[in-house]
Amino acid sequence: MGIRFILMVNKQGQTRLAQYYEYLTLEERRALEGEIVRKCLARNEQQCSFVEHRNYKIVYRRYASLFFLVGVDNEENELAILEFIHLLVETMDRHFGNVCELDIMFHLEKAHFMLEEMVMNGCIIETSKANILAPIQLMDKAS
Amino acid sequence: MNPFSSGTRLRDMIRAIRACKTAAEERAVVRKESAAIRAAVGENDNDYRHRNLAKLMFIHMLGYPTHFGQMECLKLIASSGFPEKRIGYLGLMLLLDERQEVLMLVTNSLKQDLNHSNQYIVGLALCALGNICSAEMARDLAPEVERLLQFRDPNVRKKAALCSIRIIKKVPDLAENFVNPAAALLKEKHHGVLLTGLQLCTDLCKISEEALEYFRKKCTESVVKALKDVVNSPYAPEYDISGITDPFLHIRLLRFLRILGHGDADASDCMNDILAQVATKTESNKNAGNAILYECVETIMSIEDNSGLRVLAINILGRFLSNRDNNIRYVALNMLMRAITVDAQAVQRHRATILECVKDSDASIRKRALELLYLLVNESNVKSLTKELIEHLEVSEQEFKGDLTAKICSIVEKFSTEKIWYIDQMLKVLSEAGNFVKDDVWHALIVVISNASNLHGYTVRSLYKAVQTSGEQESLVRVAVWCIGEYGEMLVNSTGMLDIEEPITVTESDAVDVIEIALKHHTSDLTTQAMCLIALLKLSSRFPACSQRIKEIVVQNKGSLVLELQQRSIEFNYIIEKHQNIRSSLVERMPVLDEATYSGKRAGSLPATIPTSNGAAINLPNGVAKPTAAPLVDLLDLSSDDAPAPSSSGSDFLHDLLGVDLSPASSQSGNIQAQKSGTDVLLDLLSIGTPPAQSSSFSSDILSISQDNKTSSGNLLSSPSPQISSSAGGSPIMDLLDGFAPNPASSEVNGPAYPSVVAFESGSLKIEFNFSKPPGNPQTTTIQATFTNKSPNTFTDFIFQAAVPKFLQLHLDPASSNTLPESANGSITQDMRVTNSQHGKKSLDKSTISLVGCDTECSMMSGVAAVGTLSHWSNGISRMLHFAAFFLQFEGAVLVIMIIMGCNRSSGKQLARNEVETSNAK
């Protein structure tokens, strides 16, 4: 299992989406998110996109006001995770059309559905945007 | 109605939360919403269930409790509509986890959905199962998942593959069922299925050796071919990332090849060509290409040796390392770390670059580089690297200093060949970053210094110089204080000058100045201050001219609020003032510490030897006070003046001083005891009535007990740690009790089957236990405790308590009185009935039986674990608390009883306060 959690956090450090692939209690989550966000948001553009925290490696990338943070274990290919974040953003872009923080907030469940089609139990399932979005579009059409 | 778009109330809630300016407002909104949802749950509101759940997910994301919505998820999953199911499953994955029992309820729904005719619903169920299934669910649902691996729709197959990973991880026994279907997935063309199939195979290989062999034989070629296909595939818009088709698939394939090729020459051979192609042809100007190269290098490093490929890989790494992009440099360092086991020489070539990375402004890169550099250190480069690192320590950022210091210390300890080099480097580190140095590091330094007898003078002078400029570094100050205390005259007389030294002139009062400054410095903690007092005591004998000044400094702490300092101050003051004749022998230089023992201890009991700051403070005074214990008897004029010289306890004293856990010292008591002539009260008492050979098991019991006491009675006694005092003030209780009365328990052990035992006897107090068993009821033992007060003072408010382990039952009868009349004019008796619920079942510890010399099941013994005195201030009156800890061996359990009695000395009025702390071992 490579990916252990995925977070989307805005510039102010508020969590906008959180998906964990391992069990953490609510308190642990809050603490972890707080620590990670503080660490990552303090870094500048030139510094590398990887931060080691506890036994996680956090790969993060910033898109406008939104930070995408992915916690992985040590075995994972960090560069590939960066690419994965980009794929996630592109997929959301394709669905929402230039995705922004508010899209994710008000369509939290859709963001989760997309994530569900991309990652399961910490592994990447699908890398084709069309395949990822197909079930979601189908559902939109049906309603 | 669509549950996702019509949820105006969900939108309203999100808006309301967004509008919140403070966390308190947000909490209020969430509370209100949660209450509404709970109400809706109670009413079983069908229409809004999904919307409520969507809200709950949002609330959950914000970090508020949402357990009350769990049942709602299950209801939604059980409903028939797809949208309801969809959000129900999402809620299930977000709000629940495998540890909750509620999850068991969902197994049935999952089973139905896995067999559903709608493939999307099947997909949902697989996804949920893959994310949260427990071992039981895995067993129940594995056949369904196995079947779905062959489902007609690839989107279901890929999910089934990942679901299988979860199942085999939860229940590894099931792995063999999945090997064949997994191998079939590797032949797929659909990227998603291939990607997930590879992951399943990878995980199967990790679990089962047979699976690995199977895949190696049957699938190596097809995986190589799949990689060839994807590398050479024409432009595929759906999977293209900056000119490369599906880098994720590349990476997965390379990773699986790594597993197949590792340790197998044939398989490695098979993949050589394609690896060479990937390593040479992949574009390295984009992140996606670099990700593939990174993975490829790792695969080349892991598979069986092929020198051509290795050269390619090392070259790629070199290119990465010199890249300007920090991300690439980071992964290069990461990679080199793994490559070091394969080709250390190639990595050594990049040493200079790596050293530069240690100084990088980016914390992540620094950390990686430091760890890598640590692995690169060897005998030949240790000196230059240490020099560089120590130089960097001066300019590095504060938060990095901790890591860097730890690594430097570790390198220096590991590779030091000459003591002088070790001492020099450590002093540099301590001067630069003494506050970041762990306790065991400076303890080890003291051990080394103590062993380097030809360097004592050099070291103490270097420390003197260092402390002038870096007086704020706590651990430097401690080492300096210790050394000046021990070797102060070498500092002043410039004894043992080395050629490399510049001569310095230090007067006796300069040396005392250093200690005085350290003692009074605002950052000094208890340990440092206590060490300063010891050093001053030592110097008072070494520098007779400064004796008066030292006495004045020591006396200043007489009123310290910290009990430890107060006590030391008073005791040392007495020694300086009244006991000139024994002082010099009392403060003799410490015997050389045994390096092997110390390092063995460090390695052997690592958790114990990394003392918390508190731990150090506890152990230090503990050891320090022991030698002074005997003279104190004298000082207080309560005993004859034949106090033996304390030097025999020197060695364990030192271990304790160095913060080594108490356990090694006391477990040695068996051996040490032989040489001891009753000096050490604690150890002596420990070994009463026990043959030396067996006392180790005995004292380890006590040890674990006293650990408990440490925490439980600390607050009670308003002392930082009662254990300190238990041994620190060893003799005052003796003075109260008039001398070193040995415990007579030993004489009792060969008596009748249930011998009565004198638990404690001294000039003032005698405690005796009588044992009896009612006939026909072997489970119950009655213990009658008799207390007799032989002192001329009456003890009032006497309380005696005891506690027992769980398998025993204790019934404590009231005491015959709560006043203990003076001069043995009467006694208090108190009965305890102890019932052993596991009589005959709980096996007895054989060693303790033989220890006592009884062979019955209710062998009992007792002894005094520790006696001591605490003094503390209360309402301006110094009050002495005497206490004694006993232990009683009873049917395989150890009962520990601590009695504390107080008497107010200044007024002569008796204040007896008895507290009993009990705890048990085993």
Side-chain angles (χ1 to χ4, degrees), chain B residues 633-647:
Chain B
V633 177
D634 200 12
L635 298 170
L636 297 171
D637 293 334
L638 286 158
S639 172
S640 54
D641 58 354
D642 58 349
S647 55

Side-chain angles (χ1 to χ4, degrees), chain B residues 817-871:
Chain B
S817 161
N818 68 348
T819 310
L820 201 52
E822 74 281 359
S823 312
N825 277 338
S827 59
I828 296 178
T829 57
Q830 191 162 15
D831 282 354
M832 286 178 275
R833 271 203 312 283
V834 184
T835 309
N836 185 354
S837 62
Q838 298 187 20
H839 183 77
K841 280 178 255 169
K842 192 102 178 173
S843 69
L844 280 169
D845 189 283
K846 290 283 179 283
S847 68
T848 54
I849 294 175
S850 59
L851 195 75
V852 193
C854 289
D855 56 359
T856 60
E857 267 190 38
C858 65
S859 64
M860 294 157 194
M861 58 165 300
S862 75
V864 180
V867 290
T869 299
L870 301 162
S871 55

Side-chain angles (χ1 to χ4, degrees), chain B residues 147 192 214-215 323 417 423 481-483 531 574 653 657 687 750 752 791 829 846 895 897:
Chain B
R147 182 175 55 77
Y214 179 83
F215 289 129
N323 202 302
T417 44
I423 291 171
V481 164
W482 189 87
C483 286
M531 288 179 82
Y574 264 114
F653 162 25
L657 172 70
S687 51
N750 293 327
S791 75
T829 57
K846 290 283 179 283
L895 325 183
I897 300 158

Side-chain angles (χ1 to χ4, degrees), chain B residues 721-741:
Chain B
S721 75
Q723 228 213 322
I724 295 174
S725 321
S726 79
S727 48
S731 12
I733 186 119
M734 298 315 279
D735 72 48
L736 173 81
L737 307 168
D738 213 1
F740 298 98

Side-chain angles (χ1 to χ4, degrees), chain B residues 747-920:
Chain B
S747 61
E748 305 276 355
V749 293
N750 293 327
Y754 311 125
S756 70
V757 169
V758 179
F760 183 76
E761 183 173 18
S762 70
S764 59
L765 184 67
K766 181 178 176 182
I767 302 173
E768 193 173 3
F769 291 129
N770 287 299
F771 305 100
S772 60
K773 285 200 177 224
N777 188 0
Q779 295 189 338
T780 306
T781 308
T782 306
I783 306 173
Q784 187 185 52
T786 310
F787 308 91
T788 315
N789 178 7
K790 295 198 248 171
S791 75
N793 304 316
T794 308
F795 290 141
T796 56
D797 298 328
F798 180 90
I799 301 168
F800 172 82
Q801 284 177 354
V804 293
K806 275 188 186 138
F807 69 92
L808 298 176
Q809 278 182 342
L810 174 75
H811 180 86
L812 198 60
D813 289 334
S816 59
S817 161
N818 68 348
T819 310
L820 201 52
E822 74 281 359
S823 312
N825 277 338
S827 59
I828 296 178
T829 57
Q830 191 162 15
D831 282 354
M832 286 178 275
R833 271 203 312 283
V834 184
T835 309
N836 185 354
S837 62
Q838 298 187 20
H839 183 77
K841 280 178 255 169
K842 192 102 178 173
S843 69
L844 280 169
D845 189 283
K846 290 283 179 283
S847 68
T848 54
I849 294 175
S850 59
L851 195 75
V852 193
C854 289
D855 56 359
T856 60
E857 267 190 38
C858 65
S859 64
M860 294 157 194
M861 58 165 300
S862 75
V864 180
V867 290
T869 299
L870 301 162
S871 55
H872 72 123
W873 286 89
S874 170
N875 302 330
I877 305 165
S878 173
R879 192 177 286 175
M880 307 295 271
L881 288 175
H882 304 294
F883 73 87
F886 311 92
F887 47 88
L888 178 61
Q889 187 89 17
F890 177 79
E891 300 194 356
V894 177
L895 325 183
V896 169
I897 300 158
M898 206 156 115
I899 300 188
I900 294 140
M901 289 170 282
C903 70
N904 186 335
R905 284 190 171 236
S906 51
S907 66
K909 185 183 146 202
Q910 294 311 308
L911 268 175
R913 179 163 160 238
N914 309 304
E915 295 283 352
V916 179
E917 268 310 317
T918 61
S919 99
N920 63 73

